[in-house]
Amino acid sequence: ILGYDAGAFPASYEAWRARVHPEDIARVESTLREAADARRDWRGAYRIVHPDGAVRWVEGRGRYVYDADGTPVFMHGTIDDVTAQHETEDALRAREAELRAINDSLEARVRERAAVAEERAEQLRQLALDIAATEARERRRIAQLLHD
């Protein structure tokens, strides 16, 4: 998981730290210190960098072992590769953002079309009023012609 050859991992803090992504190391070490100070288990996700430059996401879990004075002596735990899960979550977030943009676009189009429909409905109402007024004028004209 850390990019060492099988059986070649020098189980040390320095060997682990050498693989943690430079942008993540301060955060991870801070949460490790907090867990040690609070005497609680640690769990966190962070990136590691393999010697070939490949970046992988891992989730570490660990528990400190303390000496008689309460000083942490070492930590034991596990590291799981969660790159596929992280990539899936990233893809879902990207798709969600894309769908949100599409939805916003559709809502804008619906608002535009509703405004056009209202404008046309108003035009139809006005035409209906004009037709009714024209009919009334024609009836009066025809009635006047018949009367004369």
Side-chain angles (χ1 to χ4, degrees), residues 74-95:
F74 67 90
M75 174 187 265
H76 59 88
T78 62
I79 298 174
D80 296 314
D81 188 329
V82 293
T83 303
Q85 175 184 344
H86 194 270
E87 289 171 348
T88 300
E89 289 170 356
D90 283 348
L92 285 172
R93 278 189 288 276
R95 183 67 177 148

Side-chain angles (χ1 to χ4, degrees), residues 11-13 15 20 30 33 37-38 66 121 129 133 137-138 142 144:
S12 69
Y13 177 81
V20 177
S30 174
R33 279 190 299 278
D37 293 345
Y66 301 88
L129 289 172
R137 275 194 313 275
E138 278 300 304
I142 292 171
Q144 186 66 39

Side-chain angles (χ1 to χ4, degrees), residues 2-148:
L2 294 176
Y4 289 97
D5 291 332
F9 176 60
S12 69
Y13 177 81
E14 292 75 22
W16 166 81
R17 190 182 193 286
R19 295 293 199 244
V20 177
H21 195 285
E23 293 176 8
D24 294 349
I25 192 66
R27 174 183 53 83
V28 173
E29 286 183 326
S30 174
T31 60
L32 284 168
R33 279 190 299 278
E34 290 170 9
D37 293 345
R39 298 182 68 97
R40 62 176 167 74
D41 291 352
W42 179 83
R43 183 177 186 159
Y46 54 94
R47 294 169 292 176
I48 56 147
V49 181
H50 283 197
D52 65 1
V55 176
R56 307 290 296 173
W57 278 92
V58 297
E59 182 177 79
R61 288 179 296 283
R63 175 175 291 164
Y64 282 99
V65 175
Y66 301 88
D67 64 14
D69 297 328
T71 304
V73 180
F74 67 90
M75 174 187 265
H76 59 88
T78 62
I79 298 174
D80 296 314
D81 188 329
V82 293
T83 303
Q85 175 184 344
H86 194 270
E87 289 171 348
T88 300
E89 289 170 356
D90 283 348
L92 285 172
R93 278 189 288 276
R95 183 67 177 148
E96 182 179 333
E98 181 182 329
L99 290 173
R100 195 173 299 117
I102 290 169
N103 187 55
D104 292 345
S105 171
L106 287 173
E107 286 178 356
R109 289 174 58 190
V110 165
R111 282 190 300 274
E112 289 170 11
R113 289 186 179 181
V116 168
E118 286 181 31
E119 183 180 322
R120 289 186 179 160
E122 181 57 34
Q123 288 172 346
L124 286 173
R125 278 191 291 277
Q126 190 59 48
L127 285 172
L129 289 172
D130 290 348
I131 289 171
T134 301
E135 271 183 350
R137 275 194 313 275
E138 278 300 304
R139 279 193 195 114
R140 281 192 302 275
R141 188 181 72 78
I142 292 171
Q144 186 66 39
L145 286 172
L146 289 174
H147 180 267
D148 291 345

